[in-house]
Amino acid sequence: VSYRNFTVPANLTDRQVAERICSLLGLSLATPVNQAAIQHDAANNLFLDFRHANGGDQVTVLEKEGRLRVETTRNNIGLYLLVLHETTGAFHSGDWRMQLWADYNEFAMWCLLAMIVSGFAMFLGSRARSRLAQISLAAGCCLFCAVYFFTR
């Protein structure tokens, strides 16, 4: 937990304050600021819950005291890799590095789908009568269904 001096400028919305704080703290991976991240605590202080691949930063704007209370948590390597793994093109980041990674993941998923379809087409076209090919296809389908079932 750390504290930083911060005076809330007059006539700003909660979103504008959140964006200004995000910029002040250098949280480019948490941009654009999600509306769900903007809340108020029991004392009616602005509470911001910035989530990003590295972890999270919970910021309470202590307007009367003229400062921010910043609580930073970091993801372990496993959770960090999980967040990166699930980031796709539907994710719109304000940080160009994260957006580039999201676009790369999207491209990789489409490539995987193309390989699956082309592999199945080659199976149908050349080896559909082979006993080993039929067993391999059945085992692959069963494995896929099992992994899908247990990860849902």
Side-chain angles (χ1 to χ4, degrees):
V1 177
S2 64
Y3 291 89
R4 298 205 40 184
N5 291 331
F6 182 78
T7 303
V8 178
N11 300 324
L12 289 184
T13 65
D14 288 347
R15 171 170 286 291
Q16 290 169 326
V17 172
E19 289 169 353
R20 190 168 284 203
I21 291 171
C22 202
S23 176
L24 173 75
L25 297 177
L27 301 174
S28 63
L29 292 177
T31 57
V33 177
N34 189 333
Q35 187 61 38
I38 304 170
Q39 306 166 18
H40 288 272
D41 64 9
N44 204 30
N45 293 316
L46 181 60
F47 177 76
L48 307 168
D49 191 12
F50 298 116
R51 296 285 164 196
H52 45 81
N54 293 328
D57 290 273
Q58 295 180 327
V59 180
T60 304
V61 180
L62 304 170
E63 196 169 351
K64 294 174 186 168
E65 299 174 28
R67 63 185 186 158
L68 304 173
R69 180 185 184 275
V70 182
E71 185 175 345
T72 301
T73 56
R74 294 289 174 228
N75 288 340
N76 60 36
I77 189 70
L79 192 53
Y80 173 76
L81 292 174
L82 176 68
V83 171
L84 288 182
H85 179 73
E86 63 189 16
T87 303
T88 65
F91 176 79
H92 299 289
S93 175
D95 186 85
W96 68 270
R97 298 163 296 185
M98 199 65 174
Q99 190 61 52
L100 185 64
W101 180 256
D103 294 339
Y104 169 76
N105 271 355
E106 185 81 17
F107 176 72
M109 286 191 296
W110 283 106
C111 287
L112 178 62
L113 181 63
M115 286 187 273
I116 290 170
V117 169
S118 67
F120 189 68
M122 288 190 298
F123 163 77
L124 290 177
S126 63
R127 302 194 148 234
R129 300 200 195 292
S130 166
R131 187 75 171 150
L132 179 61
Q134 292 170 351
I135 292 170
S136 296
L137 177 64
C141 289
C142 289
L143 182 64
F144 176 80
C145 290
V147 168
Y148 179 81
F149 176 76
F150 288 114
T151 58
R152 283 316 226 178

